[in-house]
Amino acid sequence: MGHVRSAKRAAAAGTAAAVLATGAAFGLAPAASAGTADAVAASAATAAGVRFVDIAGDGGTVLKANVVTPAGADANRRHPLVVLPTSWSMPQIEYLAQARKLADAGYVVVSYNSRGFWQSGGNIEVAGPPDVADASKVIDWALANTPADPERVGMAGVSYGAGISLLAAANDERVKAVVAMSGWADLIDSIYSGRTQHLQAAAMLGGTGLLTGRPSPELQQVLKDFLASNLDQEDEMIAWGAKRSPAFQVDRINANGAAVMLGNAWGDTIFPPNQYASFYEKLTGPKRLELRPGDHATAEATGLLGLPNDTWTNAQRWFDHHLKGVDNGIDRERPVQLKSRTGGGYEGYPDWKSVGADERRIPLTDTQGVRANVDSGANGGVLMLSNLLDQFLRLPPTASIPLLPRSYAAVWQSERYGSVQRVRGTAKLHTTVTSTASSGTLVACLYDVGPLGLGKLVSNAPFTFHDRTPGRPFAVDLELFSTSYDVPAGHRLALVVDTVDPLYIEHNPSGARLTFSSPPSDPSYVSVPLREE
């Protein structure tokens, strides 16, 4: 296969640096020293009555942890246990506010710093076997050293903690309930969807890991190969990711019978919602899926500060029902709960396939060609920043559709809609592509276009191909990232396809051209899922 050009690597490095700066601004890469972290932890412990302990993880690796127990708890009464592995790069005080709330509700809570980060020992293994074994060691410790009930064990976490919790449920049958927030089910589909490297996401994770922990040699090599587009190592990288993906262990989760609640944001630029929705459909035990506006971990962020938060409220309800047997009605609610990016309350569905049960196809009839290597202005925005603006101000990435340069952007539009179009679920692109080169990347963006031609991003997704015969057409089927968005009456939908997006690494040789056609025997279209009215 091959490698991208050195110029692309330089551009990738520049983008990565910008992403790391953004991550630091948003607090995803805490800059505190180990001494500062200890001081903060001690202060928090004094305020919250938390006990800080060292727990021996897999191989004896020291895991820094904190324990919160119900007031007046003693050895004569057992309480349900909730274990909280920390998020990527976050210190062990991350969950203190929620730990206190759970303890007040009768839970023993043990939160620990995942190995390789901050003061915990070991290296960052990215939810590898040592991390999964650590979770079981923490449960062992809690059962031996707190009034925790071995029959009522739950795990929860945000992001990294979510992934570890799901993997623990596949490997430790004591875990009876899981709440996995802003996590991943399929690591490959998260940061390598459409066979395209998600540059900003990988750079953010790699950079913050380096700032706050000790990446393992294996992780360093994987990131090096990934960001350098070393496709000679593609199979090895995919196997590495599969080992760390709950979706590849879903049969074991089902066999163990854990009750699983999943929560994510529509605009999660690190772990997009598609892979969670697909994983949800494969679960056979008690399950719940909640999707809301926002980006990575922003839907749960206020709860970490102790403020009212729907995700954390429902997390406790989930544990109350499945660990304490409380009849709170959560098992009778429709298990798929969605909140639209454009406003309104929650919508309940019996399953994921019912979300976009109606469908409208936009035909892509005319042939269009684009030159590669230039960002037309249609793109997915910037990691974290763009979807935060969408979440709080309803300002998604925008583009003036009439002004997009047609040399670099192929554009198709629907008719003007006479009524509101409630997009729900996963839009799908089917088209025929002819390239002048054997490798290339295309990025599809779906826009809500108002009367003045201003397009607001509804969804997007990348697609990369290799080893194609130049000049020979081939079919492309691409799922855009799932979303919930209401297109107002009088607006149109527009599909824009170009070849460059700052979120991704592109593989178009200089001077390459892509042509999109619609053969009569295999018409091109974008399928838009709509809520049944």
Side-chain angles (χ1 to χ4, degrees), residues 5-21:
R5 302 177 307 279
S6 59
K8 288 186 181 177
R9 292 189 185 128
T15 304
V19 171
L20 294 182

Side-chain angles (χ1 to χ4, degrees), residues 442-507:
L442 61 93
V443 182
C445 293
L446 187 66
Y447 285 97
D448 159 25
V449 185
L452 298 179
L454 181 66
K456 295 182 177 181
L457 187 67
V458 176
S459 185
N460 77 313
F463 179 89
T464 293
F465 58 90
H466 297 287
D467 300 325
R468 293 288 179 176
T469 302
R472 178 178 295 178
F474 60 95
V476 169
D477 287 286
L478 174 63
E479 288 191 350
L480 277 62
F481 300 135
S482 302
T483 193
S484 177
Y485 185 100
D486 294 345
V487 179
H491 286 212
R492 307 173 187 266
L493 281 171
L495 180 75
V496 179
V497 182
D498 68 1
T499 63
V500 176
D501 190 309
L503 289 170
Y504 314 113
I505 292 178
E506 52 96 1
H507 294 258

Side-chain angles (χ1 to χ4, degrees), residues 306-321:
L307 301 174
N309 181 275
D310 290 351
T311 310
W312 283 103
T313 296
N314 287 337
Q316 183 171 325
R317 292 177 65 219
W318 191 252
F319 286 137
D320 285 348
H321 180 73

Side-chain angles (χ1 to χ4, degrees), residues 216-507:
S216 68
E218 183 183 32
L219 171 57
Q220 294 180 51
Q221 186 61 51
V222 167
L223 278 173
K224 180 181 178 180
D225 290 335
F226 186 84
L227 292 174
S229 300
N230 185 0
L231 297 176
D232 292 335
Q233 296 298 313
E234 183 179 36
D235 291 343
E236 288 77 6
M237 288 188 285
I238 289 175
W240 179 88
K243 185 186 299 184
R244 291 158 169 79
S245 296
F248 288 82
Q249 301 184 36
V250 67
D251 290 345
R252 291 161 65 175
I253 295 175
N254 291 334
N256 289 341
V260 178
M261 173 179 153
L262 306 170
N264 204 357
W266 293 117
D268 194 322
T269 41
I270 297 180
F271 302 130
N274 298 48
Q275 45 93 34
Y276 245 21
S278 176
F279 176 67
Y280 171 84
E281 285 290 273
K282 296 174 184 176
L283 293 169
T284 58
K287 58 184 179 178
R288 182 179 177 92
L289 174 65
E290 300 183 354
L291 294 169
R292 301 176 175 86
D295 205 310
H296 184 65
T298 63
E300 304 86 23
T302 56
L304 294 175
L305 301 175
L307 301 174
N309 181 275
D310 290 351
T311 310
W312 283 103
T313 296
N314 287 337
Q316 183 171 325
R317 292 177 65 219
W318 191 252
F319 286 137
D320 285 348
H321 180 73
H322 291 286
L323 297 182
K324 296 171 67 176
V326 176
D327 185 12
N328 55 17
I330 197 167
D331 58 318
R332 296 188 292 276
E333 296 172 0
R334 290 192 167 189
V336 177
Q337 294 286 321
L338 312 181
K339 195 169 188 179
S340 175
R341 290 166 47 203
T342 44
Y346 287 96
E347 302 170 359
Y349 298 85
D351 49 38
W352 178 250
K353 65 183 178 183
S354 300
V355 169
D358 198 3
E359 177 193 75
R360 174 167 295 188
R361 287 189 175 186
I362 301 172
L364 313 179
T365 53
D366 53 319
T367 297
Q368 298 191 38
V370 298
R371 297 176 184 173
N373 307 118
V374 174
D375 186 347
S376 69
N379 59 58
V382 178
L383 185 96
M384 300 299 296
L385 288 171
S386 298
N387 287 314
L388 278 171
L389 291 173
D390 187 30
Q391 178 181 359
F392 293 109
L393 301 177
R394 296 184 190 172
L395 294 174
T398 59
S400 175
I401 304 305
L403 297 181
L404 291 175
R406 295 314 197 256
S407 295
Y408 303 106
V411 180
W412 299 266
Q413 295 193 73
S414 72
E415 76 278 10
R416 199 182 304 276
Y417 296 118
S419 60
V420 175
Q421 304 294 295
R422 304 189 189 280
V423 180
R424 300 290 185 272
T426 309
K428 299 175 182 179
L429 168 65
H430 175 76
T431 189
T432 295
V433 177
T434 305
S435 173
T436 59
S438 61
S439 295
T441 298
L442 61 93
V443 182
C445 293
L446 187 66
Y447 285 97
D448 159 25
V449 185
L452 298 179
L454 181 66
K456 295 182 177 181
L457 187 67
V458 176
S459 185
N460 77 313
F463 179 89
T464 293
F465 58 90
H466 297 287
D467 300 325
R468 293 288 179 176
T469 302
R472 178 178 295 178
F474 60 95
V476 169
D477 287 286
L478 174 63
E479 288 191 350
L480 277 62
F481 300 135
S482 302
T483 193
S484 177
Y485 185 100
D486 294 345
V487 179
H491 286 212
R492 307 173 187 266
L493 281 171
L495 180 75
V496 179
V497 182
D498 68 1
T499 63
V500 176
D501 190 309
L503 289 170
Y504 314 113
I505 292 178
E506 52 96 1
H507 294 258

